[in-house]
Amino acid sequence: MKTIKGLILFSILCFFVACEGPVGPPGEPGQDGETLLGSIIEIEGDFTPANNYNIYYAFPSNFEIYDGDVVLVYILWETAQTNSGGTTDVWRLLPQTVALNDGVLQYNYDFTTADVKIFLEGTTDFNNLLPAETDNQIFRIAVLPAAFAKSTSVDLSDFNAVMKSMNLNLNNIDKVNQTLSVK
């Protein structure tokens, strides 16, 4: 009797283990087989009276950005020495404020799904700014999906942490070599 019960239980167990459901629908394709978490674009420009102290970047027509996406802009603030004797770039999240002798200067930005505008504001006379404050300014624009930006525990003010959390490296940065226009 024990043998018959054991065989019946074994048969039922084999039946359930052998059951297989239907194959689910395929997922959406990723880029090169990977999930695209975000994009980084590097731009360089000058703040001048001719461009009203604005640097304007229009996203290319083949670049998709959605209403819920988050756009962050970082400025290359300085180059610092590392412990190994090399140098490393120091990136700061905008806005950044600088106290000058004649007032305050702030680097700030706004964005839409079509463009990013980086601009100067403050109480200082922009015509008296030094070239180091206006010329050859380098920025990195990070476009993050809203779900990533909301759910991440990454410090978004730390550019290197954002890059690492998105599994990006310096080769993934799209460096734009163009004259940036005024909007």
mmCIF file of all heavy atoms in Angstrom, residues 54-106:
data_model
loop_
_atom_site.group_PDB
_atom_site.id
_atom_site.type_symbol
_atom_site.label_atom_id
_atom_site.label_comp_id
_atom_site.label_asym_id
_atom_site.label_seq_id
_atom_site.Cartn_x
_atom_site.Cartn_y
_atom_site.Cartn_z
ATOM 1 N N ASN A 54 24.234 82.964 -23.764
ATOM 2 C CA ASN A 54 23.518 81.688 -23.818
ATOM 3 C C ASN A 54 24.269 80.723 -24.720
ATOM 4 O O ASN A 54 24.772 81.121 -25.772
ATOM 5 C CB ASN A 54 22.118 81.854 -24.433
ATOM 6 C CG ASN A 54 21.208 82.678 -23.570
ATOM 7 O OD1 ASN A 54 20.871 82.292 -22.473
ATOM 8 N ND2 ASN A 54 20.801 83.826 -24.083
ATOM 9 N N ILE A 55 24.314 79.475 -24.333
ATOM 10 C CA ILE A 55 24.803 78.405 -25.204
ATOM 11 C C ILE A 55 23.603 77.498 -25.440
ATOM 12 O O ILE A 55 22.992 77.001 -24.488
ATOM 13 C CB ILE A 55 25.966 77.632 -24.566
ATOM 14 C CG1 ILE A 55 27.159 78.567 -24.353
ATOM 15 C CG2 ILE A 55 26.354 76.438 -25.426
ATOM 16 C CD1 ILE A 55 28.302 77.948 -23.567
ATOM 17 N N TYR A 56 23.259 77.328 -26.696
ATOM 18 C CA TYR A 56 22.057 76.603 -27.071
ATOM 19 C C TYR A 56 22.438 75.308 -27.782
ATOM 20 O O TYR A 56 23.272 75.323 -28.693
ATOM 21 C CB TYR A 56 21.206 77.491 -27.980
ATOM 22 C CG TYR A 56 20.000 76.830 -28.562
ATOM 23 C CD1 TYR A 56 18.857 76.612 -27.805
ATOM 24 C CD2 TYR A 56 20.005 76.415 -29.884
ATOM 25 C CE1 TYR A 56 17.754 76.004 -28.354
ATOM 26 C CE2 TYR A 56 18.904 75.800 -30.432
ATOM 27 C CZ TYR A 56 17.778 75.600 -29.659
ATOM 28 O OH TYR A 56 16.696 74.994 -30.206
ATOM 29 N N TYR A 57 21.867 74.189 -27.352
ATOM 30 C CA TYR A 57 22.097 72.904 -28.004
ATOM 31 C C TYR A 57 20.755 72.286 -28.366
ATOM 32 O O TYR A 57 19.914 72.060 -27.480
ATOM 33 C CB TYR A 57 22.878 71.950 -27.088
ATOM 34 C CG TYR A 57 23.018 70.577 -27.687
ATOM 35 C CD1 TYR A 57 23.919 70.344 -28.717
ATOM 36 C CD2 TYR A 57 22.224 69.528 -27.250
ATOM 37 C CE1 TYR A 57 24.036 69.091 -29.292
ATOM 38 C CE2 TYR A 57 22.336 68.271 -27.822
ATOM 39 C CZ TYR A 57 23.242 68.066 -28.834
ATOM 40 O OH TYR A 57 23.344 66.821 -29.415
ATOM 41 N N ALA A 58 20.541 72.038 -29.652
ATOM 42 C CA ALA A 58 19.320 71.378 -30.115
ATOM 43 C C ALA A 58 19.600 69.889 -30.236
ATOM 44 O O ALA A 58 20.602 69.485 -30.844
ATOM 45 C CB ALA A 58 18.884 71.937 -31.464
ATOM 46 N N PHE A 59 18.735 69.070 -29.642
ATOM 47 C CA PHE A 59 18.894 67.625 -29.781
ATOM 48 C C PHE A 59 18.704 67.254 -31.249
ATOM 49 O O PHE A 59 17.823 67.800 -31.922
ATOM 50 C CB PHE A 59 17.867 66.875 -28.923
ATOM 51 C CG PHE A 59 18.086 67.023 -27.446
ATOM 52 C CD1 PHE A 59 17.160 67.693 -26.654
ATOM 53 C CD2 PHE A 59 19.219 66.500 -26.832
ATOM 54 C CE1 PHE A 59 17.357 67.835 -25.288
ATOM 55 C CE2 PHE A 59 19.420 66.638 -25.465
ATOM 56 C CZ PHE A 59 18.498 67.306 -24.697
ATOM 57 N N PRO A 60 19.522 66.331 -31.774
ATOM 58 C CA PRO A 60 19.360 65.926 -33.174
ATOM 59 C C PRO A 60 17.989 65.288 -33.402
ATOM 60 O O PRO A 60 17.369 64.766 -32.467
ATOM 61 C CB PRO A 60 20.466 64.891 -33.401
ATOM 62 C CG PRO A 60 21.279 64.850 -32.166
ATOM 63 C CD PRO A 60 20.598 65.638 -31.110
ATOM 64 N N SER A 61 17.509 65.329 -34.632
ATOM 65 C CA SER A 61 16.175 64.810 -34.942
ATOM 66 C C SER A 61 16.057 63.312 -34.686
ATOM 67 O O SER A 61 14.973 62.812 -34.422
ATOM 68 C CB SER A 61 15.806 65.119 -36.393
ATOM 69 O OG SER A 61 16.747 64.513 -37.261
ATOM 70 N N ASN A 62 17.176 62.584 -34.703
ATOM 71 C CA ASN A 62 17.123 61.142 -34.450
ATOM 72 C C ASN A 62 17.306 60.794 -32.969
ATOM 73 O O ASN A 62 17.393 59.636 -32.605
ATOM 74 C CB ASN A 62 18.180 60.411 -35.291
ATOM 75 C CG ASN A 62 19.585 60.806 -34.910
ATOM 76 O OD1 ASN A 62 19.814 61.787 -34.218
ATOM 77 N ND2 ASN A 62 20.552 60.040 -35.384
ATOM 78 N N PHE A 63 17.363 61.806 -32.114
ATOM 79 C CA PHE A 63 17.542 61.601 -30.677
ATOM 80 C C PHE A 63 16.183 61.695 -29.997
ATOM 81 O O PHE A 63 15.517 62.720 -30.087
ATOM 82 C CB PHE A 63 18.486 62.669 -30.116
ATOM 83 C CG PHE A 63 18.853 62.457 -28.675
ATOM 84 C CD1 PHE A 63 19.899 61.617 -28.337
ATOM 85 C CD2 PHE A 63 18.160 63.104 -27.669
ATOM 86 C CE1 PHE A 63 20.246 61.428 -27.014
ATOM 87 C CE2 PHE A 63 18.495 62.915 -26.348
ATOM 88 C CZ PHE A 63 19.547 62.074 -26.009
ATOM 89 N N GLU A 64 15.759 60.623 -29.332
ATOM 90 C CA GLU A 64 14.452 60.636 -28.678
ATOM 91 C C GLU A 64 14.583 61.024 -27.219
ATOM 92 O O GLU A 64 15.337 60.422 -26.471
ATOM 93 C CB GLU A 64 13.796 59.253 -28.779
ATOM 94 C CG GLU A 64 13.252 58.965 -30.152
ATOM 95 C CD GLU A 64 12.324 57.768 -30.130
ATOM 96 O OE1 GLU A 64 11.244 57.865 -29.521
ATOM 97 O OE2 GLU A 64 12.703 56.749 -30.721
ATOM 98 N N ILE A 65 13.847 62.028 -26.844
ATOM 99 C CA ILE A 65 13.742 62.432 -25.451
ATOM 100 C C ILE A 65 12.257 62.584 -25.159
ATOM 101 O O ILE A 65 11.511 63.128 -25.971
ATOM 102 C CB ILE A 65 14.538 63.720 -25.162
ATOM 103 C CG1 ILE A 65 14.439 64.099 -23.690
ATOM 104 C CG2 ILE A 65 14.125 64.842 -26.051
ATOM 105 C CD1 ILE A 65 15.382 65.203 -23.273
ATOM 106 N N TYR A 66 11.824 62.069 -24.031
ATOM 107 C CA TYR A 66 10.407 62.048 -23.688
ATOM 108 C C TYR A 66 10.101 63.075 -22.609
ATOM 109 O O TYR A 66 10.990 63.517 -21.874
ATOM 110 C CB TYR A 66 10.003 60.644 -23.232
ATOM 111 C CG TYR A 66 10.275 59.604 -24.293
ATOM 112 C CD1 TYR A 66 11.416 58.809 -24.243
ATOM 113 C CD2 TYR A 66 9.410 59.438 -25.369
ATOM 114 C CE1 TYR A 66 11.672 57.865 -25.225
ATOM 115 C CE2 TYR A 66 9.661 58.500 -26.357
ATOM 116 C CZ TYR A 66 10.789 57.719 -26.281
ATOM 117 O OH TYR A 66 11.052 56.798 -27.261
ATOM 118 N N ASP A 67 8.832 63.435 -22.513
ATOM 119 C CA ASP A 67 8.415 64.455 -21.540
ATOM 120 C C ASP A 67 8.862 64.119 -20.121
ATOM 121 O O ASP A 67 9.204 65.010 -19.355
ATOM 122 C CB ASP A 67 6.898 64.636 -21.571
ATOM 123 C CG ASP A 67 6.439 65.414 -22.793
ATOM 124 O OD1 ASP A 67 7.238 66.220 -23.307
ATOM 125 O OD2 ASP A 67 5.297 65.209 -23.231
ATOM 126 N N GLY A 68 8.858 62.854 -19.746
ATOM 127 C CA GLY A 68 9.210 62.465 -18.383
ATOM 128 C C GLY A 68 10.693 62.321 -18.133
ATOM 129 O O GLY A 68 11.118 62.151 -16.985
ATOM 130 N N ASP A 69 11.516 62.371 -19.180
ATOM 131 C CA ASP A 69 12.956 62.212 -18.998
ATOM 132 C C ASP A 69 13.529 63.375 -18.200
ATOM 133 O O ASP A 69 12.976 64.474 -18.177
ATOM 134 C CB ASP A 69 13.669 62.117 -20.344
ATOM 135 C CG ASP A 69 13.424 60.795 -21.045
ATOM 136 O OD1 ASP A 69 12.897 59.860 -20.403
ATOM 137 O OD2 ASP A 69 13.747 60.679 -22.237
ATOM 138 N N VAL A 70 14.651 63.111 -17.564
ATOM 139 C CA VAL A 70 15.334 64.120 -16.763
ATOM 140 C C VAL A 70 16.612 64.516 -17.497
ATOM 141 O O VAL A 70 17.366 63.661 -17.956
ATOM 142 C CB VAL A 70 15.678 63.557 -15.365
ATOM 143 C CG1 VAL A 70 16.491 64.543 -14.559
ATOM 144 C CG2 VAL A 70 14.403 63.171 -14.635
ATOM 145 N N VAL A 71 16.836 65.807 -17.628
ATOM 146 C CA VAL A 71 18.048 66.309 -18.260
ATOM 147 C C VAL A 71 18.851 67.049 -17.191
ATOM 148 O O VAL A 71 18.337 67.969 -16.551
ATOM 149 C CB VAL A 71 17.724 67.241 -19.446
ATOM 150 C CG1 VAL A 71 19.002 67.848 -20.016
ATOM 151 C CG2 VAL A 71 16.957 66.484 -20.519
ATOM 152 N N LEU A 72 20.095 66.617 -17.012
ATOM 153 C CA LEU A 72 21.002 67.257 -16.071
ATOM 154 C C LEU A 72 22.178 67.819 -16.863
ATOM 155 O O LEU A 72 22.621 67.210 -17.835
ATOM 156 C CB LEU A 72 21.519 66.246 -15.042
ATOM 157 C CG LEU A 72 20.454 65.522 -14.220
ATOM 158 C CD1 LEU A 72 21.098 64.446 -13.357
ATOM 159 C CD2 LEU A 72 19.687 66.502 -13.358
ATOM 160 N N VAL A 73 22.690 68.966 -16.439
ATOM 161 C CA VAL A 73 23.835 69.571 -17.111
ATOM 162 C C VAL A 73 24.939 69.769 -16.073
ATOM 163 O O VAL A 73 24.707 70.309 -14.989
ATOM 164 C CB VAL A 73 23.469 70.918 -17.771
ATOM 165 C CG1 VAL A 73 24.703 71.556 -18.402
ATOM 166 C CG2 VAL A 73 22.378 70.721 -18.817
ATOM 167 N N TYR A 74 26.137 69.312 -16.448
ATOM 168 C CA TYR A 74 27.321 69.428 -15.601
ATOM 169 C C TYR A 74 28.332 70.331 -16.306
ATOM 170 O O TYR A 74 28.481 70.277 -17.511
ATOM 171 C CB TYR A 74 27.963 68.052 -15.378
ATOM 172 C CG TYR A 74 27.047 67.072 -14.693
ATOM 173 C CD1 TYR A 74 26.133 66.317 -15.432
ATOM 174 C CD2 TYR A 74 27.099 66.886 -13.317
ATOM 175 C CE1 TYR A 74 25.290 65.411 -14.809
ATOM 176 C CE2 TYR A 74 26.258 65.975 -12.691
ATOM 177 C CZ TYR A 74 25.356 65.247 -13.439
ATOM 178 O OH TYR A 74 24.520 64.356 -12.824
ATOM 179 N N ILE A 75 29.035 71.141 -15.530
ATOM 180 C CA ILE A 75 30.077 72.013 -16.061
ATOM 181 C C ILE A 75 31.432 71.483 -15.610
ATOM 182 O O ILE A 75 31.587 71.020 -14.469
ATOM 183 C CB ILE A 75 29.877 73.477 -15.596
ATOM 184 C CG1 ILE A 75 30.899 74.417 -16.250
ATOM 185 C CG2 ILE A 75 29.912 73.596 -14.086
ATOM 186 C CD1 ILE A 75 30.647 75.902 -15.976
ATOM 187 N N LEU A 76 32.412 71.530 -16.524
ATOM 188 C CA LEU A 76 33.786 71.176 -16.150
ATOM 189 C C LEU A 76 34.314 72.319 -15.299
ATOM 190 O O LEU A 76 34.587 73.410 -15.804
ATOM 191 C CB LEU A 76 34.653 70.969 -17.396
ATOM 192 C CG LEU A 76 36.114 70.630 -17.126
ATOM 193 C CD1 LEU A 76 36.265 69.355 -16.296
ATOM 194 C CD2 LEU A 76 36.871 70.506 -18.434
ATOM 195 N N TRP A 77 34.407 72.079 -14.013
ATOM 196 C CA TRP A 77 34.723 73.132 -13.064
ATOM 197 C C TRP A 77 36.225 73.364 -12.934
ATOM 198 O O TRP A 77 36.689 74.494 -12.856
ATOM 199 C CB TRP A 77 34.110 72.791 -11.708
ATOM 200 C CG TRP A 77 33.998 73.955 -10.800
ATOM 201 C CD1 TRP A 77 34.756 74.213 -9.694
ATOM 202 C CD2 TRP A 77 33.082 75.044 -10.924
ATOM 203 N NE1 TRP A 77 34.361 75.389 -9.115
ATOM 204 C CE2 TRP A 77 33.322 75.926 -9.860
ATOM 205 C CE3 TRP A 77 32.086 75.360 -11.829
ATOM 206 C CZ2 TRP A 77 32.607 77.092 -9.663
ATOM 207 C CZ3 TRP A 77 31.364 76.532 -11.637
ATOM 208 C CH2 TRP A 77 31.633 77.376 -10.568
ATOM 209 N N GLU A 78 36.968 72.264 -12.880
ATOM 210 C CA GLU A 78 38.413 72.364 -12.751
ATOM 211 C C GLU A 78 39.046 71.015 -13.055
ATOM 212 O O GLU A 78 38.341 70.017 -13.211
ATOM 213 C CB GLU A 78 38.816 72.820 -11.348
ATOM 214 C CG GLU A 78 38.467 71.824 -10.248
ATOM 215 C CD GLU A 78 38.832 72.302 -8.852
ATOM 216 O OE1 GLU A 78 39.747 73.135 -8.714
ATOM 217 O OE2 GLU A 78 38.212 71.832 -7.895
ATOM 218 N N THR A 79 40.361 71.010 -13.115
ATOM 219 C CA THR A 79 41.121 69.774 -13.237
ATOM 220 C C THR A 79 41.937 69.650 -11.960
ATOM 221 O O THR A 79 42.642 70.588 -11.585
ATOM 222 C CB THR A 79 42.034 69.806 -14.479
ATOM 223 O OG1 THR A 79 41.220 70.039 -15.632
ATOM 224 C CG2 THR A 79 42.765 68.500 -14.659
ATOM 225 N N ALA A 80 41.830 68.503 -11.290
ATOM 226 C CA ALA A 80 42.493 68.312 -10.001
ATOM 227 C C ALA A 80 43.563 67.221 -10.109
ATOM 228 O O ALA A 80 43.487 66.341 -10.965
ATOM 229 C CB ALA A 80 41.465 67.933 -8.935
ATOM 230 N N GLN A 81 44.531 67.284 -9.218
ATOM 231 C CA GLN A 81 45.593 66.273 -9.143
ATOM 232 C C GLN A 81 45.070 65.031 -8.421
ATOM 233 O O GLN A 81 44.331 65.137 -7.448
ATOM 234 C CB GLN A 81 46.805 66.820 -8.368
ATOM 235 C CG GLN A 81 47.515 67.963 -9.055
ATOM 236 C CD GLN A 81 48.260 67.496 -10.292
ATOM 237 O OE1 GLN A 81 48.688 66.355 -10.401
ATOM 238 N NE2 GLN A 81 48.397 68.392 -11.253
ATOM 239 N N THR A 82 45.452 63.877 -8.922
ATOM 240 C CA THR A 82 45.100 62.618 -8.258
ATOM 241 C C THR A 82 46.258 62.194 -7.365
ATOM 242 O O THR A 82 47.363 62.724 -7.462
ATOM 243 C CB THR A 82 44.809 61.502 -9.278
ATOM 244 O OG1 THR A 82 46.008 61.237 -10.015
ATOM 245 C CG2 THR A 82 43.684 61.893 -10.219
ATOM 246 N N ASN A 83 46.005 61.216 -6.498
ATOM 247 C CA ASN A 83 47.058 60.711 -5.610
ATOM 248 C C ASN A 83 48.186 60.049 -6.388
ATOM 249 O O ASN A 83 49.308 59.991 -5.914
ATOM 250 C CB ASN A 83 46.466 59.710 -4.617
ATOM 251 C CG ASN A 83 45.535 60.388 -3.640
ATOM 252 O OD1 ASN A 83 45.645 61.585 -3.397
ATOM 253 N ND2 ASN A 83 44.626 59.630 -3.068
ATOM 254 N N SER A 84 47.886 59.545 -7.585
ATOM 255 C CA SER A 84 48.911 58.859 -8.379
ATOM 256 C C SER A 84 49.723 59.823 -9.242
ATOM 257 O O SER A 84 50.533 59.398 -10.051
ATOM 258 C CB SER A 84 48.247 57.799 -9.257
ATOM 259 O OG SER A 84 47.345 58.403 -10.149
ATOM 260 N N GLY A 85 49.484 61.137 -9.103
ATOM 261 C CA GLY A 85 50.254 62.123 -9.851
ATOM 262 C C GLY A 85 49.610 62.564 -11.151
ATOM 263 O O GLY A 85 50.124 63.444 -11.823
ATOM 264 N N GLY A 86 48.499 61.952 -11.526
ATOM 265 C CA GLY A 86 47.790 62.338 -12.740
ATOM 266 C C GLY A 86 46.798 63.448 -12.459
ATOM 267 O O GLY A 86 46.839 64.102 -11.414
ATOM 268 N N THR A 87 45.907 63.672 -13.408
ATOM 269 C CA THR A 87 44.862 64.671 -13.235
ATOM 270 C C THR A 87 43.500 64.041 -13.501
ATOM 271 O O THR A 87 43.397 63.023 -14.188
ATOM 272 C CB THR A 87 45.044 65.867 -14.189
ATOM 273 O OG1 THR A 87 45.012 65.391 -15.535
ATOM 274 C CG2 THR A 87 46.349 66.597 -13.923
ATOM 275 N N THR A 88 42.492 64.658 -12.961
ATOM 276 C CA THR A 88 41.117 64.214 -13.186
ATOM 277 C C THR A 88 40.222 65.436 -13.326
ATOM 278 O O THR A 88 40.492 66.485 -12.729
ATOM 279 C CB THR A 88 40.626 63.299 -12.047
ATOM 280 O OG1 THR A 88 39.354 62.762 -12.395
ATOM 281 C CG2 THR A 88 40.515 64.036 -10.721
ATOM 282 N N ASP A 89 39.194 65.303 -14.139
ATOM 283 C CA ASP A 89 38.243 66.398 -14.321
ATOM 284 C C ASP A 89 37.263 66.436 -13.154
ATOM 285 O O ASP A 89 36.823 65.395 -12.667
ATOM 286 C CB ASP A 89 37.459 66.211 -15.624
ATOM 287 C CG ASP A 89 38.341 66.360 -16.855
ATOM 288 O OD1 ASP A 89 39.402 66.997 -16.752
ATOM 289 O OD2 ASP A 89 37.960 65.840 -17.915
ATOM 290 N N VAL A 90 36.916 67.634 -12.735
ATOM 291 C CA VAL A 90 35.925 67.846 -11.682
ATOM 292 C C VAL A 90 34.684 68.438 -12.336
ATOM 293 O O VAL A 90 34.742 69.529 -12.916
ATOM 294 C CB VAL A 90 36.464 68.791 -10.578
ATOM 295 C CG1 VAL A 90 35.387 69.055 -9.529
ATOM 296 C CG2 VAL A 90 37.721 68.208 -9.948
ATOM 297 N N TRP A 91 33.577 67.709 -12.281
ATOM 298 C CA TRP A 91 32.316 68.130 -12.887
ATOM 299 C C TRP A 91 31.358 68.545 -11.785
ATOM 300 O O TRP A 91 31.244 67.869 -10.774
ATOM 301 C CB TRP A 91 31.710 66.982 -13.695
ATOM 302 C CG TRP A 91 32.572 66.601 -14.860
ATOM 303 C CD1 TRP A 91 33.509 65.620 -14.878
ATOM 304 C CD2 TRP A 91 32.583 67.207 -16.141
ATOM 305 N NE1 TRP A 91 34.109 65.577 -16.116
ATOM 306 C CE2 TRP A 91 33.555 66.549 -16.905
ATOM 307 C CE3 TRP A 91 31.868 68.254 -16.722
ATOM 308 C CZ2 TRP A 91 33.832 66.888 -18.221
ATOM 309 C CZ3 TRP A 91 32.144 68.592 -18.029
ATOM 310 C CH2 TRP A 91 33.107 67.914 -18.768
ATOM 311 N N ARG A 92 30.635 69.650 -12.014
ATOM 312 C CA ARG A 92 29.636 70.115 -11.052
ATOM 313 C C ARG A 92 28.292 70.241 -11.747
ATOM 314 O O ARG A 92 28.192 70.747 -12.862
ATOM 315 C CB ARG A 92 30.025 71.469 -10.469
ATOM 316 C CG ARG A 92 31.193 71.384 -9.514
ATOM 317 C CD ARG A 92 31.326 72.685 -8.773
ATOM 318 N NE ARG A 92 32.402 72.640 -7.800
ATOM 319 C CZ ARG A 92 32.735 73.660 -7.048
ATOM 320 N NH1 ARG A 92 32.084 74.818 -7.151
ATOM 321 N NH2 ARG A 92 33.713 73.562 -6.183
ATOM 322 N N LEU A 93 27.250 69.816 -11.045
ATOM 323 C CA LEU A 93 25.884 69.915 -11.532
ATOM 324 C C LEU A 93 25.431 71.368 -11.487
ATOM 325 O O LEU A 93 25.639 72.069 -10.496
ATOM 326 C CB LEU A 93 24.966 69.045 -10.669
ATOM 327 C CG LEU A 93 23.487 69.013 -11.025
ATOM 328 C CD1 LEU A 93 23.269 68.428 -12.414
ATOM 329 C CD2 LEU A 93 22.723 68.200 -9.986
ATOM 330 N N LEU A 94 24.815 71.822 -12.579
ATOM 331 C CA LEU A 94 24.259 73.179 -12.603
ATOM 332 C C LEU A 94 22.942 73.202 -11.849
ATOM 333 O O LEU A 94 22.237 72.206 -11.834
ATOM 334 C CB LEU A 94 24.043 73.642 -14.044
ATOM 335 C CG LEU A 94 25.271 73.823 -14.910
ATOM 336 C CD1 LEU A 94 24.896 74.452 -16.245
ATOM 337 C CD2 LEU A 94 26.358 74.644 -14.243
ATOM 338 N N PRO A 95 22.584 74.305 -11.239
ATOM 339 C CA PRO A 95 23.249 75.606 -11.278
ATOM 340 C C PRO A 95 24.448 75.665 -10.329
ATOM 341 O O PRO A 95 24.478 74.987 -9.298
ATOM 342 C CB PRO A 95 22.159 76.574 -10.842
ATOM 343 C CG PRO A 95 21.244 75.766 -9.989
ATOM 344 C CD PRO A 95 21.299 74.367 -10.534
ATOM 345 N N GLN A 96 25.416 76.503 -10.701
ATOM 346 C CA GLN A 96 26.589 76.790 -9.886
ATOM 347 C C GLN A 96 26.708 78.296 -9.753
ATOM 348 O O GLN A 96 26.590 79.028 -10.731
ATOM 349 C CB GLN A 96 27.865 76.226 -10.522
ATOM 350 C CG GLN A 96 28.013 74.736 -10.386
ATOM 351 C CD GLN A 96 28.174 74.288 -8.943
ATOM 352 O OE1 GLN A 96 28.911 74.879 -8.147
ATOM 353 N NE2 GLN A 96 27.455 73.234 -8.599
ATOM 354 N N THR A 97 26.951 78.742 -8.536
ATOM 355 C CA THR A 97 27.025 80.172 -8.245
ATOM 356 C C THR A 97 28.439 80.538 -7.827
ATOM 357 O O THR A 97 29.069 79.811 -7.053
ATOM 358 C CB THR A 97 26.029 80.550 -7.128
ATOM 359 O OG1 THR A 97 24.719 80.132 -7.532
ATOM 360 C CG2 THR A 97 26.031 82.036 -6.848
ATOM 361 N N VAL A 98 28.922 81.675 -8.345
ATOM 362 C CA VAL A 98 30.255 82.176 -8.026
ATOM 363 C C VAL A 98 30.106 83.590 -7.479
ATOM 364 O O VAL A 98 29.447 84.430 -8.101
ATOM 365 C CB VAL A 98 31.154 82.203 -9.293
ATOM 366 C CG1 VAL A 98 32.540 82.725 -8.953
ATOM 367 C CG2 VAL A 98 31.225 80.836 -9.941
ATOM 368 N N ALA A 99 30.719 83.842 -6.320
ATOM 369 C CA ALA A 99 30.717 85.194 -5.753
ATOM 370 C C ALA A 99 31.922 85.944 -6.314
ATOM 371 O O ALA A 99 33.065 85.506 -6.170
ATOM 372 C CB ALA A 99 30.790 85.132 -4.233
ATOM 373 N N LEU A 100 31.667 87.047 -6.992
ATOM 374 C CA LEU A 100 32.714 87.884 -7.567
ATOM 375 C C LEU A 100 32.783 89.202 -6.797
ATOM 376 O O LEU A 100 31.882 89.521 -6.015
ATOM 377 C CB LEU A 100 32.423 88.139 -9.054
ATOM 378 C CG LEU A 100 32.303 86.892 -9.931
ATOM 379 C CD1 LEU A 100 31.813 87.254 -11.325
ATOM 380 C CD2 LEU A 100 33.640 86.169 -9.994
ATOM 381 N N ASN A 101 33.827 89.979 -7.044
ATOM 382 C CA ASN A 101 33.983 91.260 -6.343
ATOM 383 C C ASN A 101 32.816 92.204 -6.595
ATOM 384 O O ASN A 101 32.418 92.956 -5.710
ATOM 385 C CB ASN A 101 35.296 91.941 -6.745
ATOM 386 C CG ASN A 101 36.499 91.208 -6.180
ATOM 387 O OD1 ASN A 101 36.399 90.501 -5.183
ATOM 388 N ND2 ASN A 101 37.639 91.353 -6.836
ATOM 389 N N ASP A 102 32.249 92.188 -7.816
ATOM 390 C CA ASP A 102 31.187 93.137 -8.148
ATOM 391 C C ASP A 102 29.794 92.515 -8.176
ATOM 392 O O ASP A 102 28.849 93.126 -8.667
ATOM 393 C CB ASP A 102 31.490 93.831 -9.477
ATOM 394 C CG ASP A 102 31.398 92.888 -10.666
ATOM 395 O OD1 ASP A 102 31.600 91.676 -10.486
ATOM 396 O OD2 ASP A 102 31.107 93.370 -11.776
ATOM 397 N N GLY A 103 29.652 91.304 -7.669
ATOM 398 C CA GLY A 103 28.330 90.682 -7.639
ATOM 399 C C GLY A 103 28.405 89.170 -7.706
ATOM 400 O O GLY A 103 29.424 88.558 -7.397
ATOM 401 N N VAL A 104 27.317 88.593 -8.152
ATOM 402 C CA VAL A 104 27.185 87.137 -8.191
ATOM 403 C C VAL A 104 26.979 86.694 -9.635
ATOM 404 O O VAL A 104 26.247 87.328 -10.394
ATOM 405 C CB VAL A 104 25.976 86.686 -7.328
ATOM 406 C CG1 VAL A 104 25.717 85.199 -7.460
ATOM 407 C CG2 VAL A 104 26.205 87.052 -5.875
ATOM 408 N N LEU A 105 27.641 85.594 -10.004
ATOM 409 C CA LEU A 105 27.486 84.982 -11.320
ATOM 410 C C LEU A 105 26.951 83.572 -11.117
ATOM 411 O O LEU A 105 27.449 82.831 -10.261
ATOM 412 C CB LEU A 105 28.843 84.913 -12.045
ATOM 413 C CG LEU A 105 28.893 84.068 -13.316
ATOM 414 C CD1 LEU A 105 28.032 84.685 -14.410
ATOM 415 C CD2 LEU A 105 30.338 83.908 -13.782
ATOM 416 N N GLN A 106 25.933 83.204 -11.890
ATOM 417 C CA GLN A 106 25.404 81.851 -11.810
ATOM 418 C C GLN A 106 25.331 81.248 -13.208
ATOM 419 O O GLN A 106 24.854 81.881 -14.144
ATOM 420 C CB GLN A 106 24.019 81.825 -11.173
ATOM 421 C CG GLN A 106 23.506 80.402 -10.973
ATOM 422 C CD GLN A 106 22.184 80.359 -10.239
ATOM 423 O OE1 GLN A 106 21.180 80.832 -10.748
ATOM 424 N NE2 GLN A 106 22.217 79.799 -9.041
#
